[in-house]
């Protein structure tokens, strides 16, 4: 079977609540620490250990660089029951801001001795072997804290003033076949880049979907239809942009008709304050040909949450929004041809083409700067385009 450490621990802690003491409801934030403690504690029950022995022959734990200290303790407890192998890449351990990531030399290797290291960059086999070898070389330079020359390799280097110069995102725009990801460390910058691209790139949401939860709270707490209209208009402003008409041009008859329906839907929503009218307003608004969603995932999830309330599956948009995002976390988000997002959200994924807007900003990150840059460039399989206000970059030696 395949499961996450979080999912496995929650299931076992919940099955033996007297020992596992799981938090009530869906764990949030620091409550996950109790989930991991509970998962470890139930393994002290002889009957549970026998269940584990009977259920599995071996335990394989991937992406171990993302484990924290409590997850590591749980893994050790499991390793005392069954043969356990862990896999991970210290250079992709980018969650250092939590200050609880495991250290390989002092924590991982003493418990799980190093068996082998993968040397061949398999991701690029059949795609761009030269790029893969160059990224492997850059990895070594990052590990040693050496200066990197962004122009000395197969990546396309483009000088820029800042991350918001759009040339790199649209370089060879129509020639790129397959998936494209632009990667910036800051979420706000990703949203702005997507907006500036007029929706050509889509900014994706974190699983927690803070903006969706903000809207849900504003909607549920609204004391009038007018307040609900304001909440929805604010969300539409944060998810869509409107293409300007060219000088002398006018809206088509279809757009004029759509505009009329949008106004009618808005009037109805301002009177009823109902989720049903909100869904109609969103649907009609999106039909206008000059409307360009740049956070389409957030907009779709908002409509889904409102529809759940409309169909009486949930009483509040808060609960509906939580359910919508839970489905995303289990089933995965839909793929976009062109994405702009952070290394945190794209780690573990790969794309045919990757664009790095002003790579110099990576060096300003407080935590895991070198690792964030390595994760970003190593998402590319076919081509890598790097814009930067500085051709040469130097990063602090990363923690391993």
């Amino acid at each position: 079977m395949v499961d996450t450490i979080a999912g496995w621990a929650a299931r076992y802690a919940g099955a033996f609540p007297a020992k596992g003491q799981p938090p009530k409801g869906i764990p949030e934030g620091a409550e996950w620490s109790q989930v991991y403690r509970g998962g470890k504690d139930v393994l002290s029950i002889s009957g549970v250990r026998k269940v584990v022995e009977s259920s599995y022959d071996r335990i394989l734990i991937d992406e171990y660089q993302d484990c924290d200290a409590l997850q590591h303790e749980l893994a050790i407890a499991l390793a005392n029951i069954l043969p356990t192998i862990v896999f991970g890449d210290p250079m992709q351990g980018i969650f250092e801001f939590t200050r609880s990531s495991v250290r390989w030399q002092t924590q991982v290797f003493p418990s799980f001795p190093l068996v082998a290291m993968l040397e061949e960059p398999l991701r690029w086999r059949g795609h761009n072997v030269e790029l893969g070898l160059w990224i492997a070389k850059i990895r070594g330079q990052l590990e040693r804290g050496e200066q990197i020359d962004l122009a000395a390799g197969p990546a396309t280097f483009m000088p820029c003033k800042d991350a918001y110069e759009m040339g790199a995102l649209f370089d060879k725009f129509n020639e790129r076949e397959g998936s494209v990801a632009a990667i910036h460390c800051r979420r706000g910058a990703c949203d702005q880049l997507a907006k500036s691209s007029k929706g050509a790139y889509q900014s994706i949401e974190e699983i927690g979907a803070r903006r969706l939860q903000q809207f849900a709270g504003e909607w549920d707490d609204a004391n009038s239809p007018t307040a609900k209209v304001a909440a929805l208009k604010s969300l539409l402003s944060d998810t869509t942009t409107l293409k300007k008409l060219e000088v002398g041009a006018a809206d088509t008859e279809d757009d004029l008709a759509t505009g009329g329906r949008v106004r009618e839907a808005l009037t109805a929503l301002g009177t009823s304050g109902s989720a049903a009218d909100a869904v109609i307003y969103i649907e009609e608004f999106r039909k206008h040909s000059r409307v360009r969603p740049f956070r389409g995932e957030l907009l779709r999830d908002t409509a889904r949450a409102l529809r759940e309330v409309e169909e009486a599956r949930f009483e509040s948009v808060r609960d509906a929004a939580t359910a919508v995002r839970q489905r995303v976390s289990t089933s995965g988000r839909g793929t976009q041809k062109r994405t702009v997002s952070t290394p945190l959200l794209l780690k573990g994924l790969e794309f045919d083409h990757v664009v790095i807007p002003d790579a110099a900003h990576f060096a300003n990150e407080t935590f895991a700067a070198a690792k964030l840059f390595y994760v970003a460039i190593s998402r590319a399989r076919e081509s890598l385009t790097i814009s930067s206000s500085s051709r040469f970059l130097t990063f602090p030696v990363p923690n391993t």
Side-chain angles (χ1 to χ4, degrees):
M1 67 169 293
V2 179
D3 203 349
T4 63
I5 294 178
W8 188 94
R11 191 168 66 256
Y12 271 72
F16 303 90
K19 189 70 173 177
Q21 298 184 349
K24 295 180 180 179
I26 300 172
E28 295 182 358
E31 291 179 331
W32 281 107
S33 295
Q34 180 54 40
V35 171
Y36 302 131
R37 290 191 189 94
K40 175 191 172 186
D41 289 344
V42 300
L43 291 177
S44 65
I45 303 172
S46 60
V48 175
R49 292 198 300 273
K50 290 179 180 178
V51 169
V52 173
E53 288 177 324
S54 300
S55 300
Y56 317 107
D57 294 318
R58 186 179 299 272
I59 297 172
L60 310 177
I61 305 178
D62 198 9
E63 302 290 348
Y64 207 76
Q65 72 278 350
D66 296 332
C67 285
D68 63 22
L70 290 172
Q71 291 171 326
H72 180 55
E73 290 178 9
L74 175 57
I76 293 172
L78 287 168
N80 289 329
I81 301 172
L82 285 173
T84 300
I85 303 174
V86 304
F87 304 85
D89 180 358
M91 281 298 289
Q92 295 192 51
I94 57 178
F95 294 100
E96 291 185 5
F97 57 88
T98 65
R99 299 182 185 273
S100 62
S101 300
V102 293
R103 296 293 182 90
W104 288 79
Q105 298 296 332
T106 59
Q107 292 175 284
V108 179
F109 291 153
S111 301
F112 302 100
L114 179 63
V115 174
M117 294 182 64
L118 299 179
E119 302 291 346
E120 183 180 356
L122 298 177
R123 171 174 293 172
W124 297 274
R125 181 188 291 175
H127 296 281
N128 189 336
V129 174
E130 183 185 6
L131 177 63
L133 293 173
W134 182 76
I135 291 174
K137 175 185 175 183
I138 295 298
R139 175 194 174 106
Q141 292 177 312
L142 290 169
E143 290 175 321
R144 296 185 295 272
E146 297 173 358
Q147 186 182 72
I148 295 169
D149 183 354
L150 298 176
T156 298
F157 174 69
M158 301 178 67
C160 70
K161 294 181 179 179
D162 58 43
Y164 301 107
E165 287 191 17
M166 303 300 290
L169 274 71
F170 287 95
D171 180 54
K172 300 178 181 177
F173 185 78
N174 294 321
E175 299 174 28
R176 292 172 177 156
E177 296 184 358
S179 57
V180 184
I183 306 178
H184 192 285
C185 288
R186 295 296 164 175
R187 175 56 199 274
C190 292
D191 292 342
Q192 184 57 51
L193 285 165
K195 183 176 183 178
S196 297
S197 77
K198 304 298 183 185
Y201 286 78
Q202 290 292 308
S203 182
I204 63 176
E205 305 303 308
E206 73 280 4
I207 292 299
R210 284 173 290 180
R211 186 60 181 92
L212 175 59
Q213 294 295 343
Q214 177 189 334
F215 166 77
E218 292 170 349
W219 179 276
D220 289 343
D221 296 340
N223 56 14
S224 68
T226 301
K228 291 185 176 181
V229 168
L232 187 53
K233 280 189 170 182
S234 175
L235 183 121
L236 289 173
S237 176
D238 287 347
T239 57
T240 64
T241 185
L242 189 66
K243 182 181 178 182
K244 293 182 180 179
L245 284 169
E246 295 181 3
V247 177
D251 276 322
T252 65
E253 290 185 7
D254 285 345
D255 279 345
L256 289 172
T258 298
R261 292 194 299 272
V262 168
R263 289 188 291 273
E264 291 174 1
L266 185 60
T267 299
L269 176 60
T271 301
S272 69
S274 72
D277 284 330
V279 171
I280 293 172
Y281 178 52
I282 293 172
E283 290 175 344
E284 294 298 337
F285 185 81
R286 291 196 65 174
K287 289 177 183 177
H288 199 289
S289 69
R290 291 194 291 114
V291 169
R292 297 286 192 271
F294 61 89
R295 294 175 74 178
E297 179 184 356
L298 172 56
L299 191 55
R300 286 191 299 273
D301 285 350
T302 301
R304 287 168 181 162
L306 288 165
R307 194 172 288 112
E308 294 280 339
V309 173
E310 171 197 347
E311 296 173 355
R313 293 193 181 96
F314 294 92
E315 293 184 0
S316 71
V317 178
R318 282 189 180 94
D319 290 342
T322 298
V324 167
R325 294 308 292 179
Q326 283 178 334
R327 288 198 290 270
V328 172
S329 69
T330 55
S331 62
R333 54 169 58 93
T335 57
Q336 302 290 332
K337 179 176 175 59
R338 289 179 290 270
T339 296
V340 55
S341 193
T342 66
L344 290 171
L345 290 179
L346 298 183
K347 190 175 75 69
L349 303 178
E350 57 185 50
F351 300 87
D352 295 305
H353 311 280
V354 165
V355 179
I356 308 296
D358 192 11
H361 83 271
F362 280 84
N364 297 325
E365 290 298 302
T366 304
F367 299 103
K371 296 179 183 180
L372 287 165
F373 182 68
Y374 173 71
V375 166
I377 65 174
S378 62
R379 300 310 92 198
R381 295 190 303 180
E382 295 284 353
S383 76
L384 175 63
T385 301
I386 302 176
S387 71
S388 182
S389 52
S390 175
R391 172 178 169 176
F392 300 95
L393 297 180
T394 304
F395 295 87
V397 175
N399 294 323
T400 56

